[in-house]
Amino acid sequence: MEKTELESRLEAVLFYAGDIIPQRRLSEICDSDELTIRIAINRLNELYQKTNSGIEVIEVDDGYQMCTAAKHLQVIQLYRQKPVRNILTQALIETLAIVAYSQPITRTQIEDIRGVRCEHAISRLLEYGLIEEVGRLNVIGRPILFGTTNEFLRHFGFRNLEEMPKIKEELLEKFKEEVQQEMSYYEEDERVKNASSKVEE
């Protein structure tokens, strides 16, 4: 099974980039439609599997990235002399789940849902690259909003957030209700501060 010219080009640019390249961008630089790109990448992965290759092309968030085959994670980690995987404790998993299903979300909103302080958990998740700052809430104090990253998708094997497991509707509603309550608190606090400012004037 020989590579076509398109497959060879895709392999070259994905190897060179070393990061996610949007499917649309690959179509532009390779002068092929997105369906043809997808077929070519599927053929590349078939070839890699047949030849027991140490690399593969994964799909992440409407794009593609060349990476080492998942089966070789242990030997890569031995080379890097780091633990096989960052250990996700129960607290980290709970915090990450709240961010994933309620993003964008502030630290205070996360703490309201969990009922405990979350500075350490958030710090760890940021360090592991599973969450990131995605903006600030437009209220007094402008608290940081957090969301998940592409590394989160890669870590758990999702192509996009829609592939996350569905959670019970009542639990999701609880998340939304907690976030809405916190938003109402921010809005009320801002109204009080604005009213106080006017009185002082």
Side-chain angles (χ1 to χ4, degrees):
M1 180 179 174
E2 294 186 0
K3 297 186 186 77
T4 64
E5 182 63 24
L6 174 59
E7 291 162 6
S8 181
R9 289 181 179 183
L10 288 169
E11 188 176 50
V13 72
L14 287 168
F15 178 82
Y16 175 78
D19 203 350
I20 301 168
I21 303 180
Q23 189 174 24
R24 182 166 49 186
R25 179 61 178 151
L26 286 174
S27 294
E28 292 173 356
I29 61 180
C30 292
D31 193 25
S32 297
D33 61 78
E34 294 187 8
L35 177 59
T36 303
I37 293 292
R38 180 180 291 275
I39 292 172
I41 287 176
N42 286 340
R43 280 175 50 85
L44 275 176
N45 278 328
E46 289 176 7
L47 177 61
Y48 294 151
Q49 290 176 2
K50 286 182 179 179
T51 57
N52 196 28
S53 175
I55 60 174
E56 62 182 348
V57 179
I58 62 172
E59 184 177 356
V60 181
D61 199 20
D62 295 326
Y64 295 98
Q65 179 179 18
M66 180 170 285
C67 62
T68 53
K71 64 182 179 181
H72 295 314
L73 177 62
Q74 186 173 3
V75 70
I76 296 298
Q77 294 291 357
L78 286 173
Y79 169 74
R80 295 175 62 187
Q81 296 184 341
K82 290 184 178 180
V84 173
R85 274 183 183 254
N86 296 320
I87 297 175
L88 293 179
T89 63
Q90 185 64 31
L92 293 186
I93 291 173
E94 289 177 4
T95 303
L96 183 58
I98 291 170
V99 174
Y101 286 102
S102 305
Q103 60 187 308
I105 187 171
T106 67
R107 177 179 61 80
T108 304
Q109 291 168 343
I110 296 170
E111 291 176 345
D112 283 348
I113 294 172
R114 288 202 65 220
V116 295
R117 299 184 68 85
C118 296
E119 293 100 328
H120 176 74
I122 291 173
S123 177
R124 284 293 184 186
L125 293 172
L126 286 168
E127 178 186 338
Y128 294 165
L130 297 174
I131 66 172
E132 63 183 350
E133 297 180 14
V134 296
R136 288 183 177 270
L137 193 61
N138 190 26
V139 296
I140 291 176
R142 295 183 58 78
I144 295 170
L145 291 166
F146 296 100
T148 53
T149 63
N150 284 330
E151 179 58 31
F152 165 80
L153 297 176
R154 283 191 290 264
H155 189 93
F156 292 100
F158 304 137
R159 288 182 297 177
N160 50 55
L161 294 175
E162 284 68 37
E163 288 194 350
M164 290 194 306
K166 302 301 181 185
I167 61 175
K168 290 183 178 180
E169 189 64 30
E170 58 266 26
L171 182 58
L172 185 58
E173 287 302 318
K174 179 186 176 183
F175 284 0
K176 291 179 179 178
E177 182 180 342
E178 293 280 0
V179 171
Q180 186 57 49
Q181 286 177 356
E182 186 63 27
M183 288 290 291
S184 298
Y185 167 79
Y186 279 127
E187 292 169 358
E188 180 61 28
D189 187 52
E190 188 170 8
R191 282 196 295 270
V192 170
K193 290 180 179 179
N194 288 337
S196 299
S197 297
K198 290 179 180 178
V199 170
E200 291 175 1
E201 292 173 0

